[in-house]
Amino acid sequence: MSTAAAPQSVIDLRSDTVTRPTPAMRRAMAEAEVGDDVYAEDPTVNRLQSRAAEIFGREAALFFPSGSMANLTAIKTWTRPGMEVICEAMAHIYLYEMAGVAAIAGCMPNTVPAPNGTLTWDLIEPLIRPHIYYRSQTALIELENTHNMHGGTVYPPAISDDICERAHAAGLPVHLDGARIFNASVALGRSVADITAKFDSVMFCLSKGLGAPVGSMLVGSRDFIDKARVTRKLLGGGMRQAGILAAAGLIALEETPKILHRDHENARHLAEGLAKIPGVSIDPAKVVTNILIFDVNPSGRTAAEVYAELAKRGVLCGPTGKSTIRMVTHYDVDRASIDRALATISTVLAAKPS
């Protein structure tokens, strides 16, 4: 897969959402066969949904404008207002989805911090509410793989499988925010169908690591997806000739997983280079996918100060705390760009603080 070279003046490591459509995606979009998807008559959308379901070993799939809408649809489909959703304390659905769990689904997030973002049953079980009529009831458990705010960490399949099995024994469904599940698949060397088989529903993004310009998917049983289609419409997600977007998603789904390992290799190279720069704290061994978070506290600078100086020099990133910065590799940033970014970071941190 190839795409136009990024401008030399800017190295954008803010997110893997900044990728531009490849020439193959643009051709597919221009030539896409379309219909009205609200009537389920867009053939390209239908092909994308069928292919996603097939890849994940599920009965059905549904195309969404965004991962946030797909997650919210899953939560609203599995729950009723007044219930609780158990998730990790830094979960994307809790921090970055506009409190939709509460504001729209009417549920209370019940959060617990977990090392590396990896929940275990021992952490989850104490949060499950007893069946007392005047207590809010637990409706759903949500996991995130890879975990964004823990630096792209990957769930060990034995742990996620154990959570699903124990949750089902307790009568609870489990939803996976698998926005970057293909990154987890590559890191583990196992198929996405294999590592998500026990989840009741799975969301994954076409527009993050896979590089499509727009879209996410929700997969599950036929009954669940039929209900989710109703919820999607309620949330304003009924699209018309969406095959133009789905066409790019099909290219991303088929082609990009083959090259995700490059993003992981570049992220590790970036982490190893950062570890050599005075004023930076990072453990490269913890960088297993395409996300890394490093600490500039030893430099005496704040993340905002370092970010601003890097941006002036054409290296874009994202502060995640007072002294922490996130960088994300993707197919629009090659090894040479990573080396240029490292040189720029070294220069910025070597200068005297203003």
Side-chain angles (χ1 to χ4, degrees):
M1 176 181 290
S2 63
T3 187
Q8 284 293 304
S9 59
V10 175
I11 302 167
D12 198 338
L13 295 164
R14 290 173 297 172
S15 177
D16 47 6
T17 61
V18 302
T19 55
R20 290 153 303 164
T22 65
M25 291 179 191
R26 291 181 184 274
R27 284 194 298 272
M29 293 171 75
E31 298 168 3
E33 184 182 6
V34 298
D36 192 323
D37 184 53
V38 171
Y39 294 118
E41 293 175 354
D42 189 299
T44 309
V45 171
N46 291 341
R47 282 197 298 274
L48 173 61
Q49 291 173 166
S50 295
R51 183 61 178 139
E54 180 183 24
I55 289 172
F56 280 78
R58 300 302 179 115
E59 293 178 347
L62 193 61
F63 183 44
F64 283 80
S66 72
S68 293
M69 181 183 280
N71 276 335
L72 180 57
T73 293
I75 292 166
K76 191 165 177 59
T77 302
W78 287 121
T79 68
R80 299 191 311 275
M83 304 184 91
E84 290 189 352
V85 177
I86 295 172
C87 63
E88 203 273 329
M90 296 181 72
H92 196 278
I93 65 164
Y94 183 60
L95 293 181
Y96 298 115
E97 298 186 10
M98 297 296 294
V101 173
I104 299 175
C107 291
M108 180 74 74
N110 191 351
T111 68
V112 58
N116 298 317
T118 303
L119 289 172
T120 62
W121 188 251
D122 287 343
L123 291 172
I124 292 169
E125 188 175 29
L127 302 185
I128 298 174
R129 300 300 187 187
H131 291 289
I132 301 173
Y133 80 91
Y134 51 81
R135 297 284 297 273
S136 174
Q137 292 296 292
T138 304
L140 179 68
I141 296 168
E142 187 266 2
L143 307 184
E144 184 176 328
N145 191 16
T146 67
H147 200 300
N148 183 6
M149 291 311 297
H150 281 273
T153 52
V154 174
Y155 257 91
I159 292 179
S160 56
D161 285 353
D162 179 66
I163 290 171
C164 291
E165 290 168 2
R166 292 173 182 268
H168 295 157
L172 295 172
V174 187
H175 172 66
L176 178 65
D177 177 350
R180 296 180 175 91
I181 194 62
F182 283 91
N183 291 91
S185 169
V186 169
L188 292 167
R190 295 172 62 175
S191 71
V192 290
D194 184 25
I195 63 177
T196 66
K198 293 185 182 295
F199 287 88
D200 298 279
S201 56
V202 180
M203 184 282 289
F204 72 91
C205 282
L206 297 163
S207 57
K208 287 186 175 174
L210 300 188
V214 176
S216 291
M217 306 297 298
L218 187 62
V219 303
S221 69
R222 174 67 62 187
D223 178 67
F224 170 78
I225 293 298
D226 286 346
K227 292 175 181 176
R229 184 182 294 273
V230 176
T231 308
R232 186 187 69 172
K233 180 64 175 173
L234 174 66
L235 298 177
M239 296 180 284
R240 299 298 179 177
Q241 287 72 33
I244 293 174
L245 302 176
L250 272 166
I251 299 294
L253 185 60
E254 298 290 359
E255 299 300 326
T256 313
K258 302 171 187 176
I259 61 171
L260 283 178
H261 65 93
R262 298 179 193 170
D263 298 341
H264 298 183
E265 291 161 3
N266 283 336
R268 177 62 71 90
H269 180 71
L270 176 58
E272 290 170 348
L274 286 167
K276 298 174 183 176
I277 297 175
V280 171
S281 176
I282 186 172
D283 181 358
K286 292 185 177 180
V287 178
V288 295
T289 56
N290 69 323
I291 302 175
L292 59 86
I293 297 174
F294 61 98
D295 198 323
V296 295
N297 187 58
S299 72
R301 319 280 185 91
T302 67
E305 290 167 347
V306 173
Y307 159 77
E309 290 300 318
L310 289 175
K312 289 178 185 177
R313 292 163 173 81
V315 176
L316 304 183
C317 53
T320 60
K322 184 175 181 180
S323 65
T324 54
I325 293 174
R326 186 186 79 151
M327 290 184 167
V328 185
T329 56
H330 49 81
Y331 67 67
D332 270 350
V333 177
D334 59 16
R335 182 62 62 90
S337 297
I338 297 295
D339 288 335
R340 287 174 49 222
L342 284 168
T344 303
I345 296 165
S346 182
T347 299
V348 165
L349 292 180
K352 290 183 179 180
S354 58

